[in-house]
Structure formats: structure tokens, C-alpha cells
Amino acid sequence: MIRFALYLLSGLLLLSLPAVAGEWPHYGGDAGGTRHSAAAEITPSNVDDLQQAWLYSTGDMTAHADDMKHSAFEGTPVLAAGSLVFCSPFNEVIALDPGTGAQKWRYDPKIATGYRPGNQFVCRGVTPWTDETAASGDLCAMRLFMGTVDSRLIALDAATGQPCLGFGMDGEVKIDPGMGLQWPGEFQITSPPAVANGVVVVGSSISDNRRVDAPKGTVRAFDARTGKPVWEFNPIVRGAADHPESWPRGGIAARTGHANVWAPMAADAARGLFFLPTSSPSPDFFGGERAGDNRYANSVVALDAATGKVRWSFQTVHHDVWDYDVPAQPSLVTVMREGKPVDAVAQVTKTGFVFLLDRDTGEPLFEVEERPVPQGGALGEFLSPTQPVPVAPPPLVPQELKAEDAWGLTPWDRAACREKIAGARSEGLFTPPSEQGTIMYPFTGGGANWGGAAFDPATSTLYINTSRAAHLITLIPSENFEAAKAAEPNEEISPQAPTRWAVKRELVLSPLDLPCNPPPWGMLTAVDLSTGTIKWESVLGTVRDLAPVPVPLKWGTPNFGGPIVTAGGVVFIGAAMDDYLRAFDAASGEELWKGRLPAGGQATPMTYEWEGRQYVVIAAGGHARAGTKLGDFVVAFALPRAE
């Protein structure tokens, strides 16, 4: 089961805080993705009294029984128009009574029967937006935006769930990927749209490593009232025009795909900016067809909300050949510098680095050095000689795996791991893929991933959950691809056509299917963004629900989802693979409480106050590729009522 889990992984004024204490009006808590709540009823001293307040079932286990094995319930609800609203993995939008969990309304976009998305059935959230020009009580005065796995942008009335008929065609806009797809599910939308100043923006999720001329990672903006197109931003085409040194060979950008934004975006309405976390160009593990740094791929890009023009960008990986996408929503935070508050962007990454950037200029607030990295790429490759490395904070995960580091339950197990590592290139972070086989550590699932980070403005602390595992990346001559795939049909072997190299990606596991790198395999870390230092680290998860017998060994697990932090001083997180929602002391990292879930909690929780009571809510539906227990539940916890 661990095998499948790891595959997926592959006191300040904060302008973006929720307008009303105790609310959660956005996927990330606020439009800036801080995942912070002003709710303070639950504290370290009483969190152990939490109990289940209500449980809701979407019915997906019955209605979508055949598709559940291709799904992941990664949604985070929002509190909007007096309802708790979320989307199911199949893009059904459901509104619940916040106090009881009773269903109020439900909208089904009717995803086509037999549809197979390349990256599972996933919907991480919906995005509320209030039309200030509409009269109170008008239909769609507040609306909810959602992207779908079959590439639609839908607008619904937040109070009733009815489509906003004036938006696009009967409440939806069909997104055109701009080229023919190899199959309908190659292109989808999985993360919630971003909205600012009357403009709604969507990215896309695109299947990796099939071809160079893959769908482009165009970010599309629409009028939030009418659905009419406003602008488009293509990281690759614009990069070729603005930075010829980054795409030096004629015509190469025109046929290179991806650099898409599959993770959530952040918005700063006051500045009129969207912040985009972009991914790698296609394909992931060979860049001989895309020489140069490939700007604006693998970058944090700040776009003008009105025009889509680049205000600034910061690249976290040059010429990516490791699938080190920028995987998480940028966190819009405020930190102190020389006694003054500075608005910033904190970006967590798969490599374990945290970049802290000035929100107006993109300049690093902690020094970033260009450091030499391993060379000697495959035939035809164009590697960057250096990569950007922040001096602070320190990396959150180990970045080198040597044979002597091999781990195993038994001497035999460990010897097998030692031999596997010794037989591959393993020269630390950014060792290039090779025909010999290259150890990638951390693996393509992180470090950090789409769960992102939570920020406490009172203490300037960023909370990040990370996974620790390694991949073995082996390049295969393209003429041998078919034979390799036929010989190992159950392994991930991808063509990367029409380059000279196909690729095999596999986890570095022992004969007992345990990671060859030493535990812990999942961690929760607190970083002081004022000083760039680590405050504490805590192991996240046990192997209770992974082992043949339920022994809760505290080795940590790969984790999917993110943390939230409250003014009460508590960090809540599910994510781990042992079916619990956990609470940690925000100051010390001590695990204070865990609540058993009816299925895997591979989602980011949220919290809100309703009728004087604080609730903590998480989707518990599991993750098919991770191998966690599947379900269709939303679970709310609260302190016992006073009476």
C-alpha cells in the first residue's frame, strides 16, 4: 500500500485574513492561502475533548461505485451564503447546514459516463465571489465558481445551487485546450479557480510524459459576471518572447507543452495580482527539446489581474528534468523586516526549499544563491550548471541518499536497498536522469505538495507537512520503449515522444515494499519566517493502517493534504495514511489529539464558528492511488455543548 501512496507524491496586520472572525470563505482560508482562522474556542488545553459533531455521506460509494477506484476526495469546504459548500471528486457541488451537516442543496454537472481523467477524479474546492453590482437577494449576487475534470468552468448561485444563466452558456464555459487531445481525460481542471477584481482565473491539470507537443499550460481569465474571455497567459510562449536566452532555439517553444498551473493560485485584490505556481515543461525527465532555463516554467509568476501581463516572476528550478513543479498555492503573508511589516509570498516546494519573496517585486527576502549542481546529463540534454538555493530557511527534507544510508527491517532487507542505491547515480539534489538510473531524493511527490502551508500572523510561523521518499529514474532509448513496456506492463514507463529517451519511474523500495530511505516518512515542520529558522519538527502519522497488523509505529507516512492553524494555538491536519485527523500544539509541535476517520483523510481540513460553536471539518474519502480506505464522507468535530 505504501508503494501506491508514494507514487502519487510522486501580531501583524494580514490583509488577506477572512473579513469576519471564525469564517472560512476561501479554499485556502482566505484568497492568499494562509489557511489561518481567527476562531479560538478550541485551544491546546481543551482540544482533547473534541468529538464528532456530525457526519455526512455524499453517496458516491454507491452512485459512482465503478469510478471510485479512480478518485481522490481532496476537497476543502468553504462557508458561503450560510452554508458549508464543497465539491465531490465527481464535481457535484453540495451545500450543508453548518450546524447539523444536513444537506440543503446539490448540483450535478453530469460528468460523462465512462470518462477517465488522466489524474483521477479530483475536485479540491469551489470559489465564492460576491457581485457588488447586484442587488441583495438577486440570483447569483454571490456565486460559486468550480472547474471540472471535463474542462468546464461553472458558475452557481451560492444560496440555491442554480446555474448562473448569464455566465457563459447557461452557467458554464467550456475550456478549449487549444489542440487535439490523445484522449478526453488528458486535460482537466482539479483546483479551485482564483477570483479578483471581477476576473475569474483557471489553470489545468495535464497528463505527464507522453509527448513533447502536449497541451500547453495556458492560464485563462474570464469576466466573473458574463464568462467572456478577458486574457490568456501561456508561460512557454510568453517566455520565448520575453526571454530569448531561456528558449534559445527557434520554434522550440511553439511545440513544447505544459508549464501548467495545476495547483491552486492566490489572489491579492488590493494589488490587482494573481500569483501562479507553474509546473515543468513537457516532458518531465528529458529537456533536450527545450534548451535554456525555460522561464516562466517552475516559477512563481505574479500577473496583473486586469491584463494578464507579468509583473514579476521567480524561477525555483532552472530547466527542470526532475518533475519538480511548483506544487502548492503561494501563501501571501506579512513578515517583519527591520522593524517594519513587509508583504511577502512564501512558496513551498517539492525539493523541500521554502522561498520567501517580496510581494511587490519578487525579490528574495532571504538570500538565494546560484549553486553548482551535478552535470553529465543524457545524450542530447541541456542542463543548467546552477540551481537557486535559499540560504534560509534550511531545507525541510533530506536531499541526498547514499548506499550507506539504506534502511531496512532486516539485514537482508537493508542489503537489498544498499545494492539498489549503489547501482544508481546518486550525487544529491539535481542529479540528472540517466540510462544507468538516477536516485531522485526527494521524489516527485515532495517535500511539500498540493496541501501547501499554513501561516500564523501572530507568530510569523509557517507550518508545512512533507513526505520523504526516493524515486529511481531510468532513461530508456526510445527504440526500446515498446519492449520495455511489454516486459513490465505494471510499471510506470512513459514514451516522452518524440524525444530519444523514454523514462521509467519507480519507487526505491525494499523487497518488503518499504522505502529504502530511513524513517520518518512524513513530517510536520514549523518555520519562523522572521528569522528563517526551524522552530520544531514532529512526525506525522503511523503505519497503523498500512501494516498487516494495526501496530501504530510512529514512523510517519506519505501524506496528501495540508495543515491549518487557528488563533487558539492549534494546528489541524489529516493527510497521513492512518485515517486520523490530528491536532498539534502550534507553539511546541506536540501531538495533542487525534480523531478517527471513517476513511482516508487525504484532504486539507477547515474550521469555522457557527452559532457560537467552533467546528473542524475534513473530507474523509480516501485516495485510490494511495491505497487508503475509500469513502464518501465529510466529518465535523467540535467540543461538547455546554449543556
Side-chain angles (χ1 to χ4, degrees), residues 463-488:
Y463 301 92
I464 313 104
N465 56 301
T466 57
S467 298
R468 301 180 177 187
H471 266 138
L472 178 65
I473 304 298
T474 306
L475 296 180
I476 302 168
S478 58
E479 61 269 22
N480 297 336
F481 165 69
E482 295 292 347
K485 188 68 174 175
E488 298 182 284

Side-chain angles (χ1 to χ4, degrees), residues 57 208 229 260 300 302 310 337 367 373 436 440 476 479 511-512 523 577 598 607:
S57 170
D208 290 335
N260 53 309
V300 182
V310 177
R337 284 293 183 275
E367 183 183 0
V373 294
Q436 173 186 351
M440 270 189 60
I476 302 168
E479 61 269 22
L512 297 179
M523 295 289 286
M577 297 179 64
T607 187

Side-chain angles (χ1 to χ4, degrees), residues 464-525:
I464 313 104
N465 56 301
T466 57
S467 298
R468 301 180 177 187
H471 266 138
L472 178 65
I473 304 298
T474 306
L475 296 180
I476 302 168
S478 58
E479 61 269 22
N480 297 336
F481 165 69
E482 295 292 347
K485 188 68 174 175
E488 298 182 284
N490 295 323
E491 294 293 335
E492 183 187 0
I493 302 176
S494 305
Q496 301 197 129
T499 73
R500 66 179 74 201
W501 298 106
V503 65
K504 178 181 179 181
R505 173 167 49 180
E506 58 188 317
L507 292 161
V508 184
L509 300 177
S510 77
L512 297 179
D513 267 359
L514 293 171
C516 284
N517 57 288
W521 299 313
M523 295 289 286
L524 179 65
T525 303

Side-chain angles (χ1 to χ4, degrees), residues 11 34 36 454-463 565-567 569 586:
T34 63
H36 175 271
F455 180 73
D456 187 343
T459 62
S460 195
T461 304
L462 194 72
Y463 301 92
V565 62
T566 72

